PDB file of all heavy atoms in Angstrom:
ATOM      1  N   GLU B1385     248.550 -15.089 296.740  1.00  0.00           N
ATOM      2  CA  GLU B1385     249.754 -15.849 297.112  1.00  0.00           C
ATOM      3  C   GLU B1385     251.002 -15.421 296.308  1.00  0.00           C
ATOM      4  O   GLU B1385     251.773 -16.263 295.865  1.00  0.00           O
ATOM      5  CB  GLU B1385     249.532 -17.348 296.948  1.00  0.00           C
ATOM      6  CG  GLU B1385     248.496 -17.931 297.894  1.00  0.00           C
ATOM      7  CD  GLU B1385     248.920 -17.812 299.365  1.00  0.00           C
ATOM      8  OE1 GLU B1385     250.099 -18.112 299.661  1.00  0.00           O
ATOM      9  OE2 GLU B1385     248.080 -17.417 300.205  1.00  0.00           O
ATOM     10  N   GLY B1386     251.133 -14.098 296.125  1.00  0.00           N
ATOM     11  CA  GLY B1386     252.326 -13.606 295.413  1.00  0.00           C
ATOM     12  C   GLY B1386     252.085 -13.341 293.950  1.00  0.00           C
ATOM     13  O   GLY B1386     252.874 -12.612 293.321  1.00  0.00           O
ATOM     14  N   GLY B1387     251.026 -13.905 293.397  1.00  0.00           N
ATOM     15  CA  GLY B1387     250.605 -13.586 292.009  1.00  0.00           C
ATOM     16  C   GLY B1387     251.762 -13.500 291.042  1.00  0.00           C
ATOM     17  O   GLY B1387     252.505 -14.451 290.853  1.00  0.00           O
ATOM     18  N   THR B1388     251.888 -12.351 290.358  1.00  0.00           N
ATOM     19  CA  THR B1388     252.921 -12.198 289.326  1.00  0.00           C
ATOM     20  C   THR B1388     254.341 -12.185 289.930  1.00  0.00           C
ATOM     21  O   THR B1388     255.287 -12.522 289.221  1.00  0.00           O
ATOM     22  CB  THR B1388     252.719 -10.880 288.527  1.00  0.00           C
ATOM     23  OG1 THR B1388     252.688  -9.767 289.428  1.00  0.00           O
ATOM     24  CG2 THR B1388     251.415 -10.928 287.736  1.00  0.00           C
ATOM     25  N   TRP B1389     254.497 -11.811 291.195  1.00  0.00           N
ATOM     26  CA  TRP B1389     255.830 -11.892 291.799  1.00  0.00           C
ATOM     27  C   TRP B1389     256.289 -13.352 291.800  1.00  0.00           C
ATOM     28  O   TRP B1389     257.416 -13.658 291.390  1.00  0.00           O
ATOM     29  CB  TRP B1389     255.820 -11.397 293.271  1.00  0.00           C
ATOM     30  CG  TRP B1389     255.470  -9.953 293.469  1.00  0.00           C
ATOM     31  CD1 TRP B1389     255.703  -8.937 292.583  1.00  0.00           C
ATOM     32  CD2 TRP B1389     254.831  -9.377 294.615  1.00  0.00           C
ATOM     33  NE1 TRP B1389     255.256  -7.757 293.128  1.00  0.00           N
ATOM     34  CE2 TRP B1389     254.711  -7.978 294.371  1.00  0.00           C
ATOM     35  CE3 TRP B1389     254.352  -9.870 295.842  1.00  0.00           C
ATOM     36  CZ2 TRP B1389     254.156  -7.095 295.281  1.00  0.00           C
ATOM     37  CZ3 TRP B1389     253.796  -8.993 296.755  1.00  0.00           C
ATOM     38  CH2 TRP B1389     253.684  -7.633 296.480  1.00  0.00           C
ATOM     39  N   ALA B1390     255.404 -14.211 292.281  1.00  0.00           N
ATOM     40  CA  ALA B1390     255.744 -15.627 292.368  1.00  0.00           C
ATOM     41  C   ALA B1390     255.898 -16.215 290.972  1.00  0.00           C
ATOM     42  O   ALA B1390     256.874 -16.946 290.689  1.00  0.00           O
ATOM     43  CB  ALA B1390     254.660 -16.376 293.149  1.00  0.00           C
ATOM     44  N   ALA B1391     254.994 -15.869 290.062  1.00  0.00           N
ATOM     45  CA  ALA B1391     255.021 -16.472 288.715  1.00  0.00           C
ATOM     46  C   ALA B1391     256.278 -16.076 287.944  1.00  0.00           C
ATOM     47  O   ALA B1391     256.763 -16.863 287.131  1.00  0.00           O
ATOM     48  CB  ALA B1391     253.778 -16.031 287.936  1.00  0.00           C
ATOM     49  N   HIS B1392     256.812 -14.887 288.176  1.00  0.00           N
ATOM     50  CA  HIS B1392     257.945 -14.400 287.378  1.00  0.00           C
ATOM     51  C   HIS B1392     259.231 -14.245 288.183  1.00  0.00           C
ATOM     52  O   HIS B1392     260.189 -13.621 287.724  1.00  0.00           O
ATOM     53  CB  HIS B1392     257.589 -13.075 286.734  1.00  0.00           C
ATOM     54  CG  HIS B1392     256.467 -13.166 285.727  1.00  0.00           C
ATOM     55  ND1 HIS B1392     256.681 -13.488 284.405  1.00  0.00           N
ATOM     56  CD2 HIS B1392     255.109 -13.051 285.860  1.00  0.00           C
ATOM     57  CE1 HIS B1392     255.524 -13.536 283.773  1.00  0.00           C
ATOM     58  NE2 HIS B1392     254.557 -13.292 284.644  1.00  0.00           N
ATOM     59  N   GLY B1393     259.254 -14.786 289.423  1.00  0.00           N
ATOM     60  CA  GLY B1393     260.478 -14.680 290.242  1.00  0.00           C
ATOM     61  C   GLY B1393     260.911 -13.242 290.530  1.00  0.00           C
ATOM     62  O   GLY B1393     262.096 -12.950 290.583  1.00  0.00           O
ATOM     63  N   VAL B1394     259.930 -12.365 290.720  1.00  0.00           N
ATOM     64  CA  VAL B1394     260.253 -10.979 291.079  1.00  0.00           C
ATOM     65  C   VAL B1394     260.638 -10.932 292.560  1.00  0.00           C
ATOM     66  O   VAL B1394     260.022 -11.628 293.376  1.00  0.00           O
ATOM     67  CB  VAL B1394     259.033 -10.053 290.808  1.00  0.00           C
ATOM     68  CG1 VAL B1394     259.298  -8.639 291.256  1.00  0.00           C
ATOM     69  CG2 VAL B1394     258.681 -10.077 289.319  1.00  0.00           C
ATOM     70  N   THR B1395     261.692 -10.154 292.872  1.00  0.00           N
ATOM     71  CA  THR B1395     262.177 -10.097 294.272  1.00  0.00           C
ATOM     72  C   THR B1395     261.883  -8.757 294.921  1.00  0.00           C
ATOM     73  O   THR B1395     261.550  -7.775 294.239  1.00  0.00           O
ATOM     74  CB  THR B1395     263.698 -10.353 294.270  1.00  0.00           C
ATOM     75  OG1 THR B1395     264.322  -9.376 293.428  1.00  0.00           O
ATOM     76  CG2 THR B1395     264.034 -11.754 293.777  1.00  0.00           C
ATOM     77  N   ALA B1396     262.006  -8.754 296.256  1.00  0.00           N
ATOM     78  CA  ALA B1396     261.615  -7.559 297.031  1.00  0.00           C
ATOM     79  C   ALA B1396     262.404  -6.327 296.627  1.00  0.00           C
ATOM     80  O   ALA B1396     261.851  -5.223 296.582  1.00  0.00           O
ATOM     81  CB  ALA B1396     261.821  -7.850 298.534  1.00  0.00           C
ATOM     82  N   ASP B1397     263.692  -6.502 296.282  1.00  0.00           N
ATOM     83  CA  ASP B1397     264.457  -5.279 295.892  1.00  0.00           C
ATOM     84  C   ASP B1397     263.891  -4.688 294.598  1.00  0.00           C
ATOM     85  O   ASP B1397     263.857  -3.467 294.452  1.00  0.00           O
ATOM     86  CB  ASP B1397     265.957  -5.576 295.798  1.00  0.00           C
ATOM     87  CG  ASP B1397     266.285  -6.831 295.005  1.00  0.00           C
ATOM     88  OD1 ASP B1397     265.364  -7.631 294.758  1.00  0.00           O
ATOM     89  OD2 ASP B1397     267.447  -7.013 294.604  1.00  0.00           O
ATOM     90  N   GLN B1398     263.428  -5.544 293.688  1.00  0.00           N
ATOM     91  CA  GLN B1398     262.788  -5.007 292.461  1.00  0.00           C
ATOM     92  C   GLN B1398     261.466  -4.306 292.800  1.00  0.00           C
ATOM     93  O   GLN B1398     261.186  -3.236 292.262  1.00  0.00           O
ATOM     94  CB  GLN B1398     262.495  -6.160 291.489  1.00  0.00           C
ATOM     95  CG  GLN B1398     263.745  -6.794 290.881  1.00  0.00           C
ATOM     96  CD  GLN B1398     263.349  -7.978 289.983  1.00  0.00           C
ATOM     97  OE1 GLN B1398     262.930  -9.022 290.442  1.00  0.00           O
ATOM     98  NE2 GLN B1398     263.488  -7.790 288.663  1.00  0.00           N
ATOM     99  N   VAL B1399     260.707  -4.926 293.690  1.00  0.00           N
ATOM    100  CA  VAL B1399     259.420  -4.309 294.049  1.00  0.00           C
ATOM    101  C   VAL B1399     259.637  -2.968 294.740  1.00  0.00           C
ATOM    102  O   VAL B1399     258.910  -1.996 294.498  1.00  0.00           O
ATOM    103  CB  VAL B1399     258.578  -5.259 294.946  1.00  0.00           C
ATOM    104  CG1 VAL B1399     257.258  -4.595 295.340  1.00  0.00           C
ATOM    105  CG2 VAL B1399     258.304  -6.581 294.223  1.00  0.00           C
ATOM    106  N   LEU B1400     260.695  -2.895 295.555  1.00  0.00           N
ATOM    107  CA  LEU B1400     260.927  -1.642 296.285  1.00  0.00           C
ATOM    108  C   LEU B1400     261.326  -0.483 295.337  1.00  0.00           C
ATOM    109  O   LEU B1400     261.088   0.686 295.685  1.00  0.00           O
ATOM    110  CB  LEU B1400     262.023  -1.855 297.370  1.00  0.00           C
ATOM    111  CG  LEU B1400     261.504  -2.682 298.579  1.00  0.00           C
ATOM    112  CD1 LEU B1400     262.644  -3.066 299.488  1.00  0.00           C
ATOM    113  CD2 LEU B1400     260.411  -1.924 299.355  1.00  0.00           C
ATOM    114  N   THR B1401     261.851  -0.812 294.172  1.00  0.00           N
ATOM    115  CA  THR B1401     262.111   0.233 293.169  1.00  0.00           C
ATOM    116  C   THR B1401     260.792   0.862 292.727  1.00  0.00           C
ATOM    117  O   THR B1401     260.702   2.077 292.541  1.00  0.00           O
ATOM    118  CB  THR B1401     262.790  -0.380 291.919  1.00  0.00           C
ATOM    119  OG1 THR B1401     263.829  -1.234 292.371  1.00  0.00           O
ATOM    120  CG2 THR B1401     263.339   0.669 291.010  1.00  0.00           C
ATOM    121  N   ARG B1402     259.733   0.025 292.557  1.00  0.00           N
ATOM    122  CA  ARG B1402     258.411   0.583 292.199  1.00  0.00           C
ATOM    123  C   ARG B1402     257.790   1.309 293.383  1.00  0.00           C
ATOM    124  O   ARG B1402     257.053   2.259 293.179  1.00  0.00           O
ATOM    125  CB  ARG B1402     257.417  -0.520 291.761  1.00  0.00           C
ATOM    126  CG  ARG B1402     257.943  -1.775 291.084  1.00  0.00           C
ATOM    127  CD  ARG B1402     258.661  -1.551 289.839  1.00  0.00           C
ATOM    128  NE  ARG B1402     257.889  -0.931 288.780  1.00  0.00           N
ATOM    129  CZ  ARG B1402     258.268  -0.888 287.528  1.00  0.00           C
ATOM    130  NH1 ARG B1402     259.391  -1.424 287.158  1.00  0.00           N
ATOM    131  NH2 ARG B1402     257.524  -0.304 286.623  1.00  0.00           N
ATOM    132  N   VAL B1403     258.057   0.823 294.604  1.00  0.00           N
ATOM    133  CA  VAL B1403     257.486   1.489 295.785  1.00  0.00           C
ATOM    134  C   VAL B1403     257.990   2.941 295.854  1.00  0.00           C
ATOM    135  O   VAL B1403     257.221   3.847 296.233  1.00  0.00           O
ATOM    136  CB  VAL B1403     257.810   0.695 297.067  1.00  0.00           C
ATOM    137  CG1 VAL B1403     257.497   1.519 298.299  1.00  0.00           C
ATOM    138  CG2 VAL B1403     257.051  -0.627 297.073  1.00  0.00           C
ATOM    139  N   ALA B1404     259.221   3.159 295.452  1.00  0.00           N
ATOM    140  CA  ALA B1404     259.774   4.530 295.449  1.00  0.00           C
ATOM    141  C   ALA B1404     258.927   5.429 294.542  1.00  0.00           C
ATOM    142  O   ALA B1404     258.688   6.602 294.835  1.00  0.00           O
ATOM    143  CB  ALA B1404     261.218   4.523 295.020  1.00  0.00           C
ATOM    144  N   LEU B1405     258.451   4.865 293.433  1.00  0.00           N
ATOM    145  CA  LEU B1405     257.609   5.636 292.501  1.00  0.00           C
ATOM    146  C   LEU B1405     256.233   5.922 293.103  1.00  0.00           C
ATOM    147  O   LEU B1405     255.627   6.955 292.851  1.00  0.00           O
ATOM    148  CB  LEU B1405     257.452   4.889 291.167  1.00  0.00           C
ATOM    149  CG  LEU B1405     258.748   4.637 290.405  1.00  0.00           C
ATOM    150  CD1 LEU B1405     258.485   3.823 289.144  1.00  0.00           C
ATOM    151  CD2 LEU B1405     259.458   5.937 290.068  1.00  0.00           C
ATOM    152  N   ILE B1406     255.733   4.979 293.890  1.00  0.00           N
ATOM    153  CA  ILE B1406     254.457   5.200 294.574  1.00  0.00           C
ATOM    154  C   ILE B1406     254.629   6.317 295.605  1.00  0.00           C
ATOM    155  O   ILE B1406     253.802   7.243 295.676  1.00  0.00           O
ATOM    156  CB  ILE B1406     253.944   3.898 295.247  1.00  0.00           C
ATOM    157  CG1 ILE B1406     253.702   2.794 294.181  1.00  0.00           C
ATOM    158  CG2 ILE B1406     252.660   4.157 296.031  1.00  0.00           C
ATOM    159  CD1 ILE B1406     253.284   1.447 294.728  1.00  0.00           C
ATOM    160  N   GLU B1407     255.726   6.267 296.366  1.00  0.00           N
ATOM    161  CA  GLU B1407     256.012   7.318 297.368  1.00  0.00           C
ATOM    162  C   GLU B1407     256.085   8.701 296.706  1.00  0.00           C
ATOM    163  O   GLU B1407     255.669   9.700 297.292  1.00  0.00           O
ATOM    164  CB  GLU B1407     257.330   7.029 298.076  1.00  0.00           C
ATOM    165  CG  GLU B1407     257.167   6.042 299.209  1.00  0.00           C
ATOM    166  CD  GLU B1407     258.466   5.403 299.699  1.00  0.00           C
ATOM    167  OE1 GLU B1407     259.501   5.476 298.958  1.00  0.00           O
ATOM    168  OE2 GLU B1407     258.470   4.801 300.785  1.00  0.00           O
ATOM    169  N   ASP B1408     256.628   8.723 295.501  1.00  0.00           N
ATOM    170  CA  ASP B1408     256.772   9.970 294.762  1.00  0.00           C
ATOM    171  C   ASP B1408     255.379  10.580 294.422  1.00  0.00           C
ATOM    172  O   ASP B1408     255.226  11.788 294.335  1.00  0.00           O
ATOM    173  CB  ASP B1408     257.574   9.706 293.485  1.00  0.00           C
ATOM    174  CG  ASP B1408     258.009  10.994 292.806  1.00  0.00           C
ATOM    175  OD1 ASP B1408     258.356  11.958 293.532  1.00  0.00           O
ATOM    176  OD2 ASP B1408     258.034  11.020 291.558  1.00  0.00           O
ATOM    177  N   GLY B1409     254.403   9.715 294.243  1.00  0.00           N
ATOM    178  CA  GLY B1409     253.044  10.178 293.894  1.00  0.00           C
ATOM    179  C   GLY B1409     252.178  10.420 295.113  1.00  0.00           C
ATOM    180  O   GLY B1409     251.271  11.257 295.076  1.00  0.00           O
ATOM    181  N   SER B1410     252.463   9.666 296.181  1.00  0.00           N
ATOM    182  CA  SER B1410     251.666   9.799 297.429  1.00  0.00           C
ATOM    183  C   SER B1410     252.462   9.168 298.569  1.00  0.00           C
ATOM    184  O   SER B1410     252.578   7.956 298.651  1.00  0.00           O
ATOM    185  CB  SER B1410     250.321   9.053 297.254  1.00  0.00           C
ATOM    186  OG  SER B1410     249.734   8.853 298.523  1.00  0.00           O
ATOM    187  N   PRO B1411     252.965  10.009 299.467  1.00  0.00           N
ATOM    188  CA  PRO B1411     253.711   9.453 300.607  1.00  0.00           C
ATOM    189  C   PRO B1411     252.892   8.422 301.391  1.00  0.00           C
ATOM    190  O   PRO B1411     253.429   7.378 301.781  1.00  0.00           O
ATOM    191  CB  PRO B1411     254.020  10.689 301.451  1.00  0.00           C
ATOM    192  CG  PRO B1411     254.057  11.837 300.462  1.00  0.00           C
ATOM    193  CD  PRO B1411     252.989  11.493 299.451  1.00  0.00           C
ATOM    194  N   ALA B1412     251.581   8.673 301.580  1.00  0.00           N
ATOM    195  CA  ALA B1412     250.774   7.735 302.365  1.00  0.00           C
ATOM    196  C   ALA B1412     250.657   6.371 301.657  1.00  0.00           C
ATOM    197  O   ALA B1412     250.809   5.321 302.270  1.00  0.00           O
ATOM    198  CB  ALA B1412     249.370   8.317 302.599  1.00  0.00           C
ATOM    199  N   LEU B1413     250.393   6.403 300.345  1.00  0.00           N
ATOM    200  CA  LEU B1413     250.284   5.133 299.611  1.00  0.00           C
ATOM    201  C   LEU B1413     251.646   4.445 299.532  1.00  0.00           C
ATOM    202  O   LEU B1413     251.734   3.223 299.563  1.00  0.00           O
ATOM    203  CB  LEU B1413     249.688   5.374 298.201  1.00  0.00           C
ATOM    204  CG  LEU B1413     248.269   5.914 298.148  1.00  0.00           C
ATOM    205  CD1 LEU B1413     247.794   5.996 296.707  1.00  0.00           C
ATOM    206  CD2 LEU B1413     247.297   5.055 298.969  1.00  0.00           C
ATOM    207  N   GLY B1414     252.700   5.239 299.428  1.00  0.00           N
ATOM    208  CA  GLY B1414     254.050   4.670 299.401  1.00  0.00           C
ATOM    209  C   GLY B1414     254.367   3.923 300.700  1.00  0.00           C
ATOM    210  O   GLY B1414     254.887   2.800 300.682  1.00  0.00           O
ATOM    211  N   ALA B1415     254.012   4.543 301.812  1.00  0.00           N
ATOM    212  CA  ALA B1415     254.269   3.911 303.115  1.00  0.00           C
ATOM    213  C   ALA B1415     253.453   2.627 303.243  1.00  0.00           C
ATOM    214  O   ALA B1415     253.946   1.587 303.730  1.00  0.00           O
ATOM    215  CB  ALA B1415     253.900   4.876 304.241  1.00  0.00           C
ATOM    216  N   TYR B1416     252.224   2.667 302.728  1.00  0.00           N
ATOM    217  CA  TYR B1416     251.366   1.493 302.759  1.00  0.00           C
ATOM    218  C   TYR B1416     251.981   0.382 301.941  1.00  0.00           C
ATOM    219  O   TYR B1416     252.018  -0.787 302.358  1.00  0.00           O
ATOM    220  CB  TYR B1416     249.960   1.856 302.235  1.00  0.00           C
ATOM    221  CG  TYR B1416     248.952   0.769 302.421  1.00  0.00           C
ATOM    222  CD1 TYR B1416     248.234   0.664 303.632  1.00  0.00           C
ATOM    223  CD2 TYR B1416     248.686  -0.138 301.414  1.00  0.00           C
ATOM    224  CE1 TYR B1416     247.281  -0.325 303.801  1.00  0.00           C
ATOM    225  CE2 TYR B1416     247.748  -1.152 301.587  1.00  0.00           C
ATOM    226  CZ  TYR B1416     247.046  -1.230 302.774  1.00  0.00           C
ATOM    227  OH  TYR B1416     246.106  -2.212 302.956  1.00  0.00           O
ATOM    228  N   ALA B1417     252.465   0.727 300.748  1.00  0.00           N
ATOM    229  CA  ALA B1417     253.066  -0.262 299.843  1.00  0.00           C
ATOM    230  C   ALA B1417     254.322  -0.839 300.478  1.00  0.00           C
ATOM    231  O   ALA B1417     254.604  -2.040 300.375  1.00  0.00           O
ATOM    232  CB  ALA B1417     253.367   0.368 298.492  1.00  0.00           C
ATOM    233  N   ARG B1418     255.135   0.008 301.116  1.00  0.00           N
ATOM    234  CA  ARG B1418     256.365  -0.463 301.768  1.00  0.00           C
ATOM    235  C   ARG B1418     256.041  -1.488 302.858  1.00  0.00           C
ATOM    236  O   ARG B1418     256.701  -2.515 302.992  1.00  0.00           O
ATOM    237  CB  ARG B1418     257.153   0.720 302.330  1.00  0.00           C
ATOM    238  CG  ARG B1418     258.584   0.426 302.717  1.00  0.00           C
ATOM    239  CD  ARG B1418     259.371   1.695 303.023  1.00  0.00           C
ATOM    240  NE  ARG B1418     259.671   2.446 301.795  1.00  0.00           N
ATOM    241  CZ  ARG B1418     260.693   2.192 300.975  1.00  0.00           C
ATOM    242  NH1 ARG B1418     261.527   1.179 301.235  1.00  0.00           N
ATOM    243  NH2 ARG B1418     260.904   2.921 299.898  1.00  0.00           N
TER     244      ARG B1418
END
Side-chain angles (χ1 to χ4, degrees):
Chain B
E1385 294 296 316
T1388 56
W1389 296 331
H1392 296 273
V1394 175
T1395 56
D1397 48 345
Q1398 292 177 289
V1399 178
L1400 288 171
T1401 314
R1402 330 299 300 193
V1403 168
L1405 299 177
I1406 298 176
E1407 277 163 345
D1408 192 36
S1410 164
L1413 296 184
Y1416 189 86
R1418 193 169 288 279

